[in-house]
Amino acid sequence: MKRLLLGLLLITGLYSYAQEKHTISGTIKEKRSGEVLIGASAYLMELPKTGTVSNAYGFYSITAPAGSYTLIVSFSGFTQDSVKIILDKNISVPIQLLPASVPMMEVVVTSKKKNDNVTKPIMGVQKLSVNEIKNVPVLFGEKDVLKTIQLLPGVKSAGEGSSGFYVRGGGADQNLILLDEATVYNASHLLGFFSSFNSDAIKDLTLYKGAMPAEYGGRLSSVVDIKMNDGNNQDYHANGGIGLIASRLNVEGPIVKDKGSFIVSGRRTYADLFLKLSRDSAIKNNSLYFYDFNVKANYKINDNNRVYLSGYFGKDNLGFGGTFGIDYGNSTATARWNHIFNSRLFSNTSFIYSNYNYNIKINSGNNNIIIKSKIEDVSLKQDFQYFVNNDNKINFGFNIIDHRISPGIIDASGTSSFNPTNLPIKYALENAAYISHEVSPVEKIKLNYGLRLSAFSILGPGDFNTYDSSGNIINTRTYTGSTVVKSYINLEPRFSASYQLQENSSIKASYTRNVQNLHLLSNSASTNPTDLWIPSSPNVQPEIADQVSLGYYRNFNDNKYEFSSEVYYKTMQNQIDYKNGAQLRANANVESQLLFGKGRAYGWELFLKKKYGKLTGWVSYTLSRTEKLIGGINNGSWYPAKQDQTHNMAIVAIYQASKKWTFSSNFVYNTGNAVTFPSGKYQVNGQTAFYYTERNGYRMPAYHRLDFAATLQVKKRKKSEGSWTFSLYNVYGRENAYSIEFKDDPNDPTKTQAVQTALFRWVPSVTYNFKF
Amino acid sequence: MNRFSVKWYLLLLVLALYACTKVINVNLNDASPQIVIEGIITNNPGPYQVQITKTVNFSASNTYPPVTGAVVKITDNVFATTDVLSETSPGVYTTHIVQGIPGHSYQLNVVTGGQTYTASSVMPQPVTLDSVSFQHTNRFSKLDISAVPNFQDPIGIKNYYSFAQYVNSKNLKTTVVFDDRLSDGKYISIAIRNDSSYISIGDTVLLKMNCIDKSTYDYFYTFTQVSGNNNFQSASPSNPVSNISNNALGYFSAYTTQSKKVIAK
């Protein structure tokens, strides 16, 4: 029935343009650098309803009856452009916008299209440009997109200073993080204190909180779609920053002027250089650093064909006095080909490679051990966008991912106490096809509905076990060659609708089903570089989430202010938890250590943003609940998930005091995480042990913190500029509890005590940024 | 393999740089007292003891009320003999005839307060502890000395071990367990790490090595995550996996034991 309906709508959509109509299309770019602009709006002045927004490659398409028009193109922070056109055939109009001479605060907002957030039939979405985040104060002064999104409603931090996050009650592994379409499996450096993304290399970020369009799939809670800068195709430029613990350098320029450009960004921390200064050899021999590179190049073959190559490589290296070392990192590569078939049909083909690996070296006595683990994806992604007419757009395509997961290889010397072990590689094929249709069937109503068909196949060779309830193997089936062991096929409907109440207000509703076939096993309090990804298998069913949401949107004061209020309810099936004392490391039978259950999350998110003026920023508030029901835990009753935070609030304010000084501040407050504390104690084996009555029955203390930053523009010449950023993290030095441990009182053996550990009181930082 | 925790080292570093700790007051709920049973049979000659106590609230002092007047029996399943234990001091029950023999399976039966608690454990074959050596590690600015037991793990058999250390006759109260899941048939030399207590050169170190069964291993593996000296507890701590029925806390273990006393160098 659903498919029939879809077909019908498609046909009516296709036929509705069978009059004398032509199409204007082209690419919208920034004039000075040649960077394509994503999300710029374009419309015909004479037909204000014809508006559209440029896609991820800056491509736009507008269809209108023959005639002469004025095409208006605008983008926040840029001067509006208007072009007179005579539309008697399909024409191509490339657009180049100039940055507004003064920063975006003084741009006069006239375009009607500034209210996309109200009119588009898509909800639970947040867009951030690097421009917006550059002034938000963060830990260690390293601006960071993943930390800034934690200040948005519905997004929670995974911990003090962490780049990990939870979206609408989902787990940290339920976020799909894409860098130029490539999956990034571990988006953090140094145990999460930095994200993998160097903000110099990033153009913008879009966060979908569950209600993602049909072209995205594979994770339950969210998609974080990050696009890298393309590089300046006019002139060579360099910019960078020197900070207390990290420095960055970014170089970009044309390959062939107007036709192609490149960008190379690098970053390295040097906390370990301070360790080297120590006279103590035990400290001297430790290493602790990360570096990452982003490279991208693009070349326009002709007006209809453009190719992009982008890559990321990051590595963390930690070593402790030669006895223990770990290095880990992601690398991704994406090759893309944009092809414009005609003014209505846009195509993008991507070949993507993604790799995450870690190596652990242990050199202890006669035990020389190397542990290696890797997850590797090769994928092909084909997307089409068909602009039927204005307000009628069809997206369709497919995606094939070949997963190869090597959970662990242990190399051990002959004298070692351990046997060399080689856990078998897991193979899986993740296929998906999707179609979605954005249409306005009647005035004021817009729909975006679609369907994603996902097929996940577990492939041989390998042994596949089934287990009894106590984890013993009851049956083993051996598969040789690349035979299909098991396939999970799921239909994922995606639906959202908006109804425009007034010019600047609307209500929206959505329903989405998401399916996840790769699961992260992590039994520690924070994410670890050695957490284990496993694919769905005969024992591990795909995780499925269904989310409904409803929202009210209103812009006021000439779109200067943006307000939204959304409620959501989400159910999650086949959620994973662990048996007591689960052995997750180097365990071929890791699936026998798991428990399965379900989850539910619901909440109310409020967001008020001031977009223009000397003072910009936002206030976000989330009231929510996240619960789990896992057989064998808390007697099979619902209990709060760790990330269940009843109240979560953030205030971000950026004030441009003068051309020289910018001040910014943010304040966050949230209810403490749900935790398990003891309710009693006893003695076993001469040691104190704690007695637990229920999982997550207690709360950590509430978390709050104020940060402050000031940026001073020191010189601004034609060719170069420099600025100093001073920041103070945790201004009033609150000792926010990072952990609470229970232990014997070292001074009084007849007593026990609770000890709170707090990280980061008053972390000052200073960074010098330059550009020439 | 768990001892090589990345997080542990990293956190230590962060803590050293930025963290501050303090003792706080946490408002913990009271729980109704639970029964705790600790029963041991070793391959040393008897008598052996079973201790029965109750839990107390977290804020109470570390004295645990004994459970008196229980009926405690241990059965040797091979010889089919049952020993009825006598309460020799409050909450401490002592055997008369039962002897620990490797390969034998033992059954514990406790009746108290109208409830019956049962558990069983098999005494594994002993593995010879050849020697104890020492390993020096520079951990930041501290020299860390660890005792290293050296022994041959028998091939083709699942073996589980636990270790206890006494330094200058003082029990370090750290329970370390090890299994041969990744080490079957290897000659094993593993440093027994201490988190809070340290060994100095010249100390007399008594290292105990016990060969335990799987249920005891599971118990202590999960116990180390919730005991009072563990620095970094797991994300969701819970009561250790006990082999005693009816939700009793504690364990019943039949194990072989041996020890070596050496001077640390």
Side-chain angles (χ1 to χ4, degrees):
Chain A
M1 185 60 214
K2 230 173 250 159
R3 257 180 280 191
L4 189 68
L5 199 69
L6 187 73
L8 267 174
L9 272 160
L10 279 181
I11 289 161
T12 45
L14 288 169
Y15 278 90
S16 64
Y17 73 94
Q19 317 161 15
E20 253 277 66
K21 283 190 171 183
H22 303 292
T23 303
I24 315 136
S25 64
T27 306
I28 303 172
K29 290 182 187 172
E30 180 188 351
K31 191 176 178 120
R32 278 194 202 153
S33 65
E35 267 316 308
V36 301
L37 297 175
I38 303 167
S41 46
Y43 72 105
L44 301 175
M45 198 168 73
E46 293 78 3
L47 295 171
K49 288 201 160 53
T50 55
T52 187
V53 172
S54 61
N55 73 7
Y57 302 93
F59 180 77
Y60 75 96
S61 169
I62 296 175
T63 303
S68 60
Y69 298 103
T70 312
L71 173 69
I72 310 274
V73 179
S74 64
F75 189 58
S76 118
F78 289 82
T79 326
Q80 180 174 299
D81 196 11
S82 58
V83 187
K84 294 262 181 230
I85 50 167
I86 293 165
L87 192 61
D88 52 2
K89 58 180 193 299
N90 289 345
I91 54 169
S92 166
V93 183
I95 300 287
Q96 296 190 322
L97 296 183
L98 265 173
S101 50
V102 200
M104 56 201 263
M105 56 177 195
E106 282 171 36
V107 173
V108 184
V109 187
T110 47
S111 163
K112 277 184 65 175
K113 284 292 147 189
K114 290 277 194 279
N115 64 350
D116 261 353
N117 60 310
V118 169
T119 57
K120 283 210 105 184
I122 181 156
M123 55 191 304
V125 63
Q126 295 277 0
K127 263 179 106 70
L128 281 178
S129 72
V130 164
N131 248 343
E132 278 178 284
I133 69 150
K134 72 174 180 197
N135 287 316
V136 178
V138 286
L139 182 62
F140 302 130
E142 273 287 298
K143 54 188 171 184
D144 196 316
V145 286
L146 293 190
K147 286 183 189 167
T148 307
I149 64 171
Q150 296 169 11
L151 302 169
L152 298 170
V155 186
K156 290 164 190 178
S157 169
E160 177 80 69
S162 172
S163 59
F165 58 96
Y166 304 115
V167 178
R168 289 186 171 174
D173 66 323
Q174 293 175 350
N175 304 313
L176 179 64
I177 299 175
L178 299 173
L179 180 65
D180 272 357
E181 298 181 23
T183 307
V184 177
Y185 281 95
N186 180 351
S188 68
H189 286 304
L190 294 184
L191 209 76
F193 293 126
F194 296 88
S195 88
S196 299
F197 307 111
N198 177 350
S199 55
D200 281 349
I202 287 165
K203 183 188 296 199
D204 84 345
L205 171 152
T206 310
L207 166 71
Y208 299 94
K209 296 184 287 189
M212 35 271 214
E215 66 237 53
Y216 299 105
R219 296 292 185 280
L220 287 198
S221 323
S222 79
V223 174
V224 179
D225 192 359
I226 298 171
K227 300 275 186 251
M228 271 160 55
N229 276 325
D230 296 324
N232 194 313
N233 70 7
Q234 301 295 314
D235 297 302
Y236 294 95
H237 283 283
N239 64 302
I242 299 163
L244 287 181
I245 43 176
S247 282
R248 318 178 309 270
L249 183 67
N250 178 60
V251 179
E252 57 189 304
I255 296 171
V256 178
K257 206 170 170 180
D258 290 325
K259 286 213 150 215
S261 61
F262 73 92
I263 180 167
V264 178
S265 304
R267 180 166 65 146
R268 191 196 192 279
T269 58
Y270 32 74
D272 57 321
L273 299 183
F274 293 111
L275 301 178
K276 295 269 183 292
L277 296 175
S278 170
R279 264 178 291 174
D280 188 329
S281 69
I283 291 180
K284 229 179 183 164
N285 293 334
N286 295 325
S287 62
L288 170 76
Y289 64 89
F290 73 79
Y291 58 88
D292 53 30
F293 290 104
N294 286 276
V295 290
K296 190 166 178 178
N298 73 87
Y299 187 76
K300 191 168 100 177
I301 300 163
N302 55 39
D303 276 350
N304 291 331
N305 291 288
R306 190 167 179 174
V307 288
Y308 295 81
L309 282 172
S310 45
Y312 167 82
F313 182 79
K315 186 112 323 275
D316 279 59
N317 213 317
L318 311 163
F320 299 91
T323 56
F324 176 87
I326 177 169
D327 65 81
Y328 61 96
N330 291 288
S331 38
T332 71
T334 313
R336 281 179 292 179
W337 170 42
N338 282 181
H339 178 64
I340 299 168
F341 281 96
N342 55 52
S343 56
R344 287 158 186 248
L345 184 60
F346 178 91
S347 147
N348 176 61
T349 311
S350 302
F351 290 97
I352 306 159
Y353 172 81
S354 172
N355 176 324
Y356 173 72
N357 72 336
Y358 68 81
N359 299 298
I360 298 173
K361 291 189 189 79
I362 297 160
N363 205 340
S364 162
N366 55 342
N367 291 317
N368 297 314
I369 300 161
I370 299 172
I371 304 165
K372 297 179 205 160
S373 173
K374 183 159 87 169
I375 175 162
E376 203 173 23
D377 288 357
V378 178
S379 70
L380 167 67
K381 189 164 173 277
Q382 175 62 54
D383 302 299
F384 293 101
Q385 292 178 7
Y386 186 67
F387 298 82
V388 181
N389 56 41
N390 309 307
D391 290 330
N392 191 347
K393 196 172 95 178
I394 297 169
N395 289 351
F396 57 102
F398 64 87
N399 188 4
I400 299 168
I401 309 174
D402 181 24
H403 296 289
R404 196 167 289 218
I405 303 171
S406 170
I409 294 170
I410 301 173
D411 288 339
S413 60
T415 58
S416 149
S417 302
F418 296 93
N419 288 309
T421 307
N422 205 336
L423 296 184
I425 295 177
K426 295 181 177 181
Y427 303 90
L429 206 55
E430 188 169 7
N431 295 320
Y434 71 91
I435 182 160
S436 70
H437 185 199
E438 189 173 322
V439 69
S440 178
V442 284
E443 181 148 356
K444 290 186 174 173
I445 291 183
K446 284 187 181 179
L447 300 176
N448 187 330
Y449 61 94
L451 196 61
R452 184 179 177 88
L453 175 72
S454 64
F456 190 87
S457 301
I458 301 107
L459 304 177
D463 289 343
F464 292 82
N465 299 329
T466 42
Y467 305 94
D468 64 14
S469 57
S470 35
N472 301 312
I473 298 171
I474 48 175
N475 184 26
T476 300
R477 293 184 74 165
T478 302
Y479 292 82
T480 51
S482 291
T483 42
V484 175
V485 176
K486 171 106 189 156
S487 282
Y488 288 107
I489 295 169
N490 280 289
L491 273 179
E492 305 173 36
R494 312 281 171 89
F495 172 85
S496 61
S498 69
Y499 176 72
Q500 192 140 2
L501 298 167
Q502 277 159 354
E503 168 114 345
N504 276 323
S505 65
S506 67
I507 50 171
K508 300 182 195 179
S510 78
Y511 162 71
T512 320
R513 168 168 279 204
N514 291 317
V515 174
Q516 176 162 349
N517 280 295
L518 286 175
H519 322 276
L520 187 69
L521 304 186
S522 164
N523 204 7
S524 55
S526 58
T527 52
N528 230 328
T530 55
D531 288 344
L532 179 71
W533 285 96
I534 60 160
S536 294
S537 76
N539 297 309
V540 182
Q541 308 270 321
E543 299 174 60
I544 297 174
D546 291 283
Q547 178 181 283
V548 286
S549 50
L550 195 68
Y552 171 74
Y553 305 80
R554 186 179 154 84
N555 288 4
F556 41 93
N557 221 344
D558 214 2
N559 291 319
K560 238 183 208 170
Y561 293 89
E562 195 179 297
F563 170 78
S564 68
S565 164
E566 290 189 15
V567 290
Y568 65 89
Y569 185 89
K570 179 160 81 172
T571 60
M572 294 165 274
Q573 302 172 43
N574 305 322
Q575 299 297 286
I576 296 173
D577 214 304
Y578 315 100
K579 290 182 178 166
N580 274 348
Q583 182 52 269
L584 303 181
R585 274 178 220 292
N587 187 349
N589 294 311
V590 72
E591 290 173 6
S592 69
Q593 309 285 301
L594 308 180
L595 296 172
F596 301 96
K598 53 188 180 178
R600 65 183 180 201
Y602 46 94
W604 181 25
E605 301 169 354
L606 293 170
F607 186 59
L608 176 68
K609 185 176 185 179
K610 181 163 186 285
K611 295 199 284 186
Y612 314 101
K614 278 195 152 185
L615 177 72
T616 56
W618 66 83
V619 179
S620 80
Y621 171 77
T622 311
L623 176 71
S624 66
R625 180 150 307 292
T626 304
E627 293 170 308
K628 282 180 159 186
L629 180 77
I630 308 272
I633 297 177
N634 279 10
N635 302 318
S637 53
W638 288 98
Y639 66 94
K642 180 180 81 175
Q643 67 270 30
D644 177 56
Q645 295 173 354
T646 313
H647 304 283
N648 189 305
M649 188 177 92
I651 302 171
V652 177
I654 298 158
Y655 183 69
Q656 178 121 31
S658 66
K659 287 206 164 154
K660 284 196 126 171
W661 284 99
T662 307
F663 300 103
S664 62
S665 181
N666 52 275
F667 173 75
V668 292
Y669 173 91
N670 60 259
T671 310
N673 282 346
V675 284
T676 308
F677 285 159
S679 294
K681 59 185 175 183
Y682 56 99
Q683 197 171 45
V684 153
N685 206 22
Q687 297 172 53
T688 308
F690 297 112
Y691 170 55
Y692 296 91
T693 52
E694 59 179 327
R695 172 85 63 100
N696 292 351
Y698 289 89
R699 289 277 162 185
M700 292 293 274
Y703 180 99
H704 52 91
R705 191 189 82 230
L706 179 74
D707 306 331
F708 183 77
T711 301
L712 170 67
Q713 197 86 35
V714 282
K715 56 171 188 176
K716 193 160 188 176
R717 298 197 197 101
K718 228 179 192 169
K719 285 259 165 195
S720 67
E721 57 182 86
S723 67
W724 289 94
T725 300
F726 308 93
S727 70
L728 181 60
Y729 181 89
N730 202 357
V731 172
Y732 53 84
R734 168 155 167 103
E735 292 181 39
N736 283 302
Y738 182 78
S739 70
I740 294 176
E741 298 154 46
F742 300 90
K743 49 166 87 171
D744 290 325
D745 186 338
N747 304 318
D748 181 358
T750 67
K751 289 278 179 201
T752 46
Q753 59 179 206
V755 177
Q756 169 190 293
T757 301
L759 306 180
F760 308 131
R761 285 181 84 185
W762 302 299
V763 184
S765 62
V766 56
T767 308
Y768 179 71
N769 289 303
F770 59 88
K771 197 178 197 172
F772 54 83
Chain B
M1 202 105 315
N2 274 285
R3 289 166 302 114
F4 308 113
S5 163
V6 181
K7 203 176 70 171
W8 196 89
Y9 280 101
L10 263 176
L11 268 176
L12 202 74
L13 201 87
V14 170
L15 296 185
L17 288 172
Y18 291 105
C20 45
T21 58
K22 65 177 180 192
V23 175
I24 56 162
N25 250 327
V26 181
N27 208 356
L28 297 171
N29 300 335
D30 292 348
S32 58
Q34 299 293 306
I35 196 146
V36 183
I37 301 171
E38 188 174 11
I40 288 169
I41 290 184
T42 71
N43 60 337
N44 289 337
Y48 314 109
Q49 288 178 334
V50 174
Q51 286 191 49
I52 309 177
T53 52
K54 287 207 160 172
T55 62
V56 297
N57 289 330
F58 184 83
S59 55
S61 80
N62 295 349
T63 47
Y64 304 97
V67 174
T68 56
V71 178
V72 182
K73 296 175 192 166
I74 291 178
T75 304
D76 180 325
N77 290 335
V78 175
F79 292 155
T81 51
T82 297
D83 193 344
V84 180
L85 283 68
S86 307
E87 190 170 357
T88 45
S89 63
V92 179
Y93 301 83
T94 305
T95 60
H96 301 284
I97 52 163
V98 71
Q99 289 301 324
I101 299 166
H104 282 210
S105 148
Y106 298 88
Q107 174 105 21
L108 173 74
N109 187 294
V110 174
V111 178
T112 178
Q115 301 283 323
T116 303
Y117 305 91
T118 58
S120 64
S121 180
V122 178
M123 186 177 292
Q125 295 297 330
V127 172
T128 310
L129 173 63
D130 292 340
S131 63
V132 175
S133 51
F134 292 90
Q135 183 182 310
H136 293 196
T137 312
N138 279 322
R139 202 192 275 182
F140 300 102
S141 51
K142 215 168 225 163
L143 176 67
D144 187 12
I145 303 178
S146 309
V148 179
N150 302 298
F151 59 97
Q152 175 66 50
D153 181 75
I155 196 162
I157 306 164
K158 282 186 180 169
N159 295 93
Y160 305 91
Y161 307 91
S162 75
F163 300 92
Q165 300 169 85
Y166 298 79
V167 176
N168 301 329
S169 304
K170 186 177 166 257
N171 188 349
L172 286 194
K173 292 190 179 180
T174 50
T175 306
V176 173
V177 290
F178 180 80
D179 75 327
D180 68 351
R181 188 171 66 91
L182 300 169
S183 305
D184 186 35
K186 295 296 284 190
Y187 193 83
I188 293 173
S189 304
I190 283 288
I192 306 299
R193 291 212 185 275
N194 302 302
D195 285 342
S196 54
S197 317
Y198 297 94
I199 300 173
S200 308
I201 290 172
D203 284 348
T204 305
V205 175
L206 176 82
L207 184 78
K208 261 192 183 177
M209 176 168 115
N210 304 326
C211 295
I212 55 180
D213 67 354
K214 183 174 188 306
S215 65
T216 311
Y217 173 83
D218 287 343
Y219 181 81
F220 281 104
Y221 179 71
T222 47
F223 176 80
T224 52
Q225 295 170 346
V226 294
S227 70
N229 289 311
N230 180 39
N231 279 338
F232 293 101
Q233 289 162 351
S234 80
S236 29
S238 51
N239 298 320
V241 183
S242 173
N243 59 347
I244 305 175
S245 69
N246 212 358
N247 291 324
L249 298 164
Y251 65 98
F252 172 60
S253 177
Y255 61 85
T256 64
T257 184
Q258 56 198 303
S259 55
K260 286 217 181 299
K261 195 183 261 185
V262 275
I263 306 289
K265 55 181 187 226

